[in-house]
Amino acid sequence: MAKIRKGDLVEVISGGDKGKQGKVLEVLVAEGRVIVEGVNYATKHTRVGQTQRGTKTGGIETIEAPIHVSNVALVNPDTGKPARVGFKVEEVTEGGVTTTVKTREFKPSRRDSAAAATEKKTTKKAAAKKDSE
């Protein structure tokens, strides 16, 4: 089971488009890359041709280019921030038949606890400063 699948909301964590969020349009498993909607645009020049009706096709198009899977992170829908993902294996019994089900779940963020710790430190310093004045 893959950590990133088609349709997931991801955020770019490195590169020129860092911080942008988008939906995964396609996963290229063999190359280890994903195509994300609205991220990593590239210009593609296509040869000018004609359709059977006589309309011209081709020219310069902008398309989403693949980005390496290590440069994107899944977005936790609860917090709206990128998060790490783990797997939970459960055994489900239904009608006397036991099956194992593997599901993705978001790991708790280490940044939230670090941010809370720095807030506590700053509030203590601010309180000490007010007391001394």
Side-chain angles (χ1 to χ4, degrees):
M1 180 178 273
K3 290 188 178 184
I4 296 177
R5 293 187 232 147
K6 182 178 177 179
D8 287 340
L9 182 66
V10 294
E11 183 173 322
V12 180
I13 56 174
S14 67
D17 293 323
K18 183 177 181 177
K20 289 187 181 178
Q21 290 186 357
K23 193 171 89 170
V24 175
L25 299 174
E26 189 178 348
V27 178
L28 308 170
V29 179
E31 291 117 38
R33 293 179 172 270
V34 292
I35 297 176
V36 182
E37 183 178 35
V39 175
N40 198 25
Y41 277 115
T43 54
K44 184 178 181 181
H45 297 263
T46 56
R47 173 177 271 170
V48 176
Q50 267 187 332
T51 61
Q52 290 183 348
R53 293 184 176 185
T55 58
K56 290 194 173 189
T57 60
I60 300 173
E61 302 172 347
T62 56
I63 60 166
E64 287 102 353
I67 185 168
H68 199 268
V69 74
S70 67
N71 294 335
V72 295
L74 272 173
V75 174
N76 189 341
D78 298 335
T79 62
K81 295 181 180 179
R84 298 180 310 139
V85 178
F87 294 98
K88 189 175 190 179
V89 180
E90 298 178 27
E91 291 192 11
V92 179
T93 305
E94 219 173 90
V97 179
T98 304
T99 57
T100 57
V101 179
K102 190 174 179 182
T103 57
R104 291 186 301 177
E105 67 174 14
F106 289 96
K107 294 184 178 181
S109 177
R110 296 177 293 187
R111 291 187 197 112
D112 292 341
S113 59
T118 56
E119 277 184 33
K120 288 179 183 175
K121 287 180 184 177
T122 55
T123 54
K124 285 181 183 177
K125 287 180 182 177
K129 210 177 220 185
K130 285 181 182 178
D131 291 339
S132 65
E133 290 176 354

